[in-house]
Amino acid sequence: MKQFNNVTVLLEGNSYFDGAVTSRTVMFEDGSRKTLGFMLPGEYEFGTDAAELMEIVSGELDVKLPGADEWQTIKSAESFNVPANSKFQVSVKVVTDYCCSYL
Amino acid sequence: MKQFNNVTVLLEGNSYFDGAVTSRTVMFEDGSRKTLGFMLPGEYEFGTDAAELMEIVSGELDVKLPGADEWQTIKSAESFNVPANSKFQVSVKVVTDYCCSYL
C-alpha cells in the first residue's frame, strides 16, 4: 500500500459539515502539505486558497469545477485540479477517501 | 498544536459503520502504531486485538468498558484504556476526534 514516509502529522484533525467531511494534515520535508480525508455521501461546496490536486483513493464523486457547466464523475484512482481562490461543488454518492495536495 | 514528527502515514484510510467512524494509520520509528480518527454521533461496538489507549482530542463520548456495568463519560483531553482481545461500546454525542495507541 502506498505510504508517505518521514512526514509530520498534526494530532488534531479537521471537521466540516458536521463531520461529514473530515481530514488530517500531513506536512512533508520539502514544506509541502496534503490533507487525507473522508467525505460521506452528500453535497458540499468548498473554497480554495492555494490550487489543489484532489486524488480519489477510494469511492466516487461528481464534481462541478469553477466555471464548468457540467458535472463530471471522478472515480477511485482518478483526480482533478482546482484553481486557487475558487469554489467547487462535489456530490458524493458513497464514502470517499481522498488525498488533497496543495500546489 | 501537538504533532507527530518523522512518522509514516498510509495513503489509504480506514472506514467503519458506513463511514461514521474513520481513521488514518500512523507508524512510528520505534515500530509502534496509532490511528487518528473521527467518530460521528452514534453507538458503536469495537473489538480489540492489542490493548488500546484511546485519547479524546476533541468531542465527547460515553464508553462501556469490558466487564463494566456502567457507562462513563470521556471528554476532550481525557482518555481510557481497553484490554487486548476484548469488546467495548461507545455512545458518541458530538463529532469526536480521537487518537488510538496500540500498546
Side-chain angles (χ1 to χ4, degrees):
Chain A
M1 185 190 292
K2 189 174 172 187
Q3 61 190 41
F4 301 115
N5 299 317
N6 301 315
V7 295
T8 293
V9 179
L10 300 188
L11 172 63
E12 195 174 317
N14 316 299
S15 170
Y16 312 95
F17 304 106
D18 291 327
V21 178
T22 57
S23 70
R24 325 280 331 182
T25 302
V26 179
M27 297 184 299
F28 292 75
E29 286 180 302
D30 65 1
S32 66
R33 186 170 60 95
K34 297 183 195 296
T35 50
L36 301 177
F38 281 98
M39 293 188 235
L40 271 54
E43 306 216 341
Y44 315 105
E45 182 174 85
F46 299 100
T48 65
D49 292 320
E52 297 180 3
L53 167 65
M54 281 282 287
E55 300 176 85
I56 305 306
V57 177
S58 68
E60 179 176 325
L61 55 76
D62 294 338
V63 63
K64 191 161 180 289
L65 290 169
D69 292 326
E70 296 191 352
W71 293 78
Q72 59 184 118
T73 299
I74 311 292
K75 298 184 176 182
S76 178
E78 296 180 347
S79 63
F80 60 94
N81 281 83
V82 189
N85 303 306
S86 62
K87 291 182 191 296
F88 65 104
Q89 294 167 282
V90 298
S91 175
V92 179
K93 313 296 190 196
V94 296
V95 177
T96 294
D97 186 356
Y98 71 88
C99 175
C100 180
S101 301
Y102 301 89
L103 307 178
Chain B
M1 184 190 292
K2 188 173 172 187
Q3 61 190 42
F4 301 113
N5 298 317
N6 300 315
V7 296
T8 294
V9 179
L10 300 188
L11 171 64
E12 195 174 317
N14 316 298
S15 171
Y16 311 95
F17 304 106
D18 291 328
V21 178
T22 57
S23 70
R24 323 284 325 185
T25 303
V26 179
M27 297 183 299
F28 293 74
E29 287 180 302
D30 66 0
S32 67
R33 185 170 60 94
K34 297 183 195 294
T35 51
L36 301 177
F38 281 97
M39 292 188 236
L40 272 56
E43 306 216 341
Y44 314 106
E45 181 175 87
F46 299 101
T48 65
D49 291 321
E52 297 180 4
L53 167 64
M54 281 283 287
E55 300 176 85
I56 305 305
V57 177
S58 69
E60 180 177 324
L61 54 75
D62 294 338
V63 63
K64 192 162 180 287
L65 290 168
D69 292 326
E70 296 191 353
W71 292 79
Q72 60 184 117
T73 297
I74 311 291
K75 298 185 176 181
S76 179
E78 297 180 345
S79 63
F80 60 94
N81 281 83
V82 190
N85 303 306
S86 62
K87 290 182 191 298
F88 65 104
Q89 294 166 281
V90 298
S91 175
V92 179
K93 313 296 188 193
V94 295
V95 177
T96 294
D97 187 356
Y98 71 88
C99 175
C100 180
S101 301
Y102 300 90
L103 308 177

